[in-house]
Amino acid sequence: MSLAGRGFALRLMASVVLLLGSATLVSVPVAQADPGPGSPVPANDPFYDWDGGLDVSPGTVLRSRPMTFRTPSQPTPITGSQVLYRTTDQQGDGVVTVATVLRPLIPGPTRIVSYHMAYDALGSQCNPSYTLSGGSTSPIAGAEQAVIAGYLAAGYTVVVPDYEGEELEWTIGRQSGYAALDGVRAAQSFLQLPSSTPVGMIGYSGGSVPTQWGAEVAPEYAPELNLVGVAAGGLPVDLAHNLPYVSGNRGWAGVIPALIVAYERAYGLDLTSFISDYGFEVIDQVDQECIAQFADDYPTLTDASMVKAPYTSLLDVPEVVAAIDDNIMGSQGTPRTPMFLAVGQADPIGDSVMITGDVRGLAHDYCSRGVDVQYAQYDGLTHSEAFPAFEAQGLQFLTERFGGGPTRSNCVMIPPGNALTPTP
């Protein structure tokens, strides 16, 4: 990371320490409806259920309640709201999800950051609305909550959507982007802000899915939003390339059965036609877990072990390939806002889970379509190690975009990267 990047990281962490440290000095009044430690998980919480009609505009707020920004053991002086809102799923149908809306302690011009946590979940206990209220935590959620605290300390209004939706459909593209955009719409409506309010979006790893797809579908789906910049890091651009990379990977093979669960939920795949007995055994184990629980639990698991004859890989199964092809980034729209795209490279292929050439290929493709792209590659860093570098550089990028400064496009220096054509 550059010295400038390290400086941003240090200032961010200083803000976080000051903000969270002050929580021990402040007594936070908690409303009766305020969720917190001991509250039921979203799957068992009536607030998340909606039995009414959905013949309303995407982003419409259906109900709300107060919340306190906290860890399981410590509240902060920051209070906010949870909003249940109407959004759209992968097939174009109306559905609901929840966003957490947080206002900074120091008032100022409203600038919205839609922050997309990498909750990579199959169970509702991982939802950002639950973890940010102190319902539970994990090392991943804890690190991202600290980053969110930094944005709040810097004076930004932060919106954090549960972008995987009610069914926890992890890595599904368009609907994640819709949920992010509708979360901004819901926040603007709830806070009575105009659609001209400047908005930036940022997300890493799983959080890059709603970020990149949000930018991609925004011109058609939410053209009224004033997106000033979008920062996405560690992107799963084409899962047909990631699957063989993580097969038998000690740290990441567990994502294979989790992806099968997510795609079955989103596309109604008939698993009995291609999943092996061992595959079903592993699927049952990960079915309600978060990524911190399953990613490295199956160090010898391979793509081939998940399927039965005559298949030798998930990429032999036509319906699986069709579903993956439906989620190739860059395939369904062109962003109209400056983009910051970043990825690590720890080996000749990628950062240990994401394909470096795919992210570079996406950046190059966007450049060819006239998108203003700033691309960063963190050579020598794994997926986890690249997270702090991305967050520091992403903060700098969004700060410059909100400030109206010149962009730092390096399109002329980005080589082609991998082709992102659909798998036959």
Side-chain angles (χ1 to χ4, degrees):
M1 193 192 321
S2 68
L3 290 176
R6 289 193 184 98
F8 261 83
L10 290 172
R11 289 195 293 275
L12 174 64
M13 291 310 298
S15 297
V16 170
V17 170
L18 286 172
L19 180 62
L20 294 181
S22 69
T24 60
L25 305 177
V26 178
S27 176
V28 181
V30 179
Q32 185 175 5
D34 189 335
S39 297
V41 297
N44 299 325
D45 186 339
F47 176 79
Y48 293 78
D49 291 334
W50 181 254
D51 295 328
L54 290 174
D55 188 20
V56 293
S57 300
T60 298
V61 176
L62 304 172
R63 66 165 64 106
S64 65
R65 67 181 178 186
M67 58 80 67
T68 298
F69 184 73
R70 61 177 299 150
T71 69
S73 60
Q74 187 179 59
T76 76
I78 296 173
T79 56
S81 299
Q82 293 175 349
V83 293
L84 181 80
Y85 61 98
R86 191 265 201 209
T87 185
T88 307
D89 70 8
Q90 190 78 352
Q91 286 71 39
D93 297 324
V95 291
V96 300
T97 194
V98 169
T100 302
V101 182
L102 300 163
R103 297 301 301 269
L105 292 175
I106 302 173
T110 301
R111 302 160 299 170
I112 295 175
V113 171
S114 186
Y115 189 91
H116 308 139
M117 299 181 73
Y119 64 115
D120 301 352
L122 300 177
S124 67
Q125 74 278 8
C126 323
N127 285 8
S129 59
Y130 188 67
T131 60
L132 294 178
S133 300
S136 68
T137 192
S138 70
I140 299 170
E144 293 192 305
Q145 189 165 9
V147 175
I148 291 169
Y151 277 104
L152 293 167
Y156 293 100
T157 295
V158 180
V159 182
V160 187
D162 293 357
Y163 57 84
E164 289 185 20
E166 294 178 286
E167 301 300 321
L168 285 302
E169 293 168 352
W170 174 44
T171 73
I172 305 303
R174 290 189 302 278
Q175 69 180 30
S176 296
Y178 298 152
L181 297 170
D182 288 330
V184 172
R185 285 169 160 165
Q188 290 180 343
S189 173
F190 184 76
L191 298 174
Q192 299 183 327
L193 299 172
S195 60
S196 60
T197 303
V199 178
M201 300 196 300
I202 185 168
Y204 186 77
S205 190
S208 73
V209 177
T211 308
Q212 181 277 333
W213 279 98
E216 189 166 323
V217 302
E220 294 294 329
Y221 187 78
E224 82 284 3
L225 294 182
N226 180 19
L227 288 178
V228 299
V230 174
L235 301 86
V237 178
D238 183 349
L239 288 174
H241 300 170
N242 296 83
L243 281 172
Y245 183 40
V246 299
S247 183
N249 181 315
R250 173 172 291 277
W252 295 100
V255 304
I256 297 174
L259 289 170
I260 293 172
V261 172
Y263 273 70
E264 189 278 330
R265 292 175 181 178
Y267 291 93
L269 302 179
D270 178 14
L271 302 188
T272 61
S273 65
F274 61 89
I275 293 296
S276 66
D277 290 343
Y278 173 68
F280 275 115
E281 180 182 330
V282 179
I283 285 171
D284 288 344
Q285 291 168 3
V286 305
D287 183 68
Q288 294 297 317
E289 293 184 338
C290 311
I291 193 167
Q293 296 169 282
F294 59 70
D296 61 358
D297 273 6
Y298 305 92
T300 62
L301 186 147
T302 65
D303 181 28
S305 68
M306 295 295 299
V307 297
K308 63 183 179 182
Y311 304 112
T312 61
S313 164
L314 287 166
L315 299 179
D316 292 340
V317 185
E319 55 263 45
V320 172
V321 172
I324 289 174
D325 285 348
D326 192 38
N327 290 277
I328 298 174
M329 292 182 174
S331 64
Q332 308 209 11
T334 300
R336 294 179 185 170
T337 187
M339 302 279 292
F340 170 54
L341 301 176
V343 66
Q345 179 148 31
D347 60 44
I349 298 175
D351 68 1
S352 68
V353 60
M354 302 306 177
I355 311 296
T356 304
D358 282 4
V359 180
R360 192 166 58 242
L362 179 66
H364 184 272
D365 182 52
Y366 277 160
C367 287
S368 70
R369 297 191 231 167
V371 182
D372 189 316
V373 178
Q374 179 181 339
Y375 171 74
Q377 185 171 303
Y378 307 123
D379 292 335
L381 298 187
T382 66
H383 189 65
S384 300
E385 292 167 346
F387 169 74
F390 166 76
E391 291 292 348
Q393 206 168 354
L395 170 63
Q396 182 176 10
F397 172 82
L398 290 183
T399 300
E400 292 170 352
R401 300 287 67 72
F402 282 115
T407 60
R408 301 170 185 261
S409 173
N410 55 355
C411 276
V412 296
M413 301 174 62
I414 304 172
N418 295 339
L420 303 176
T421 53
T423 301

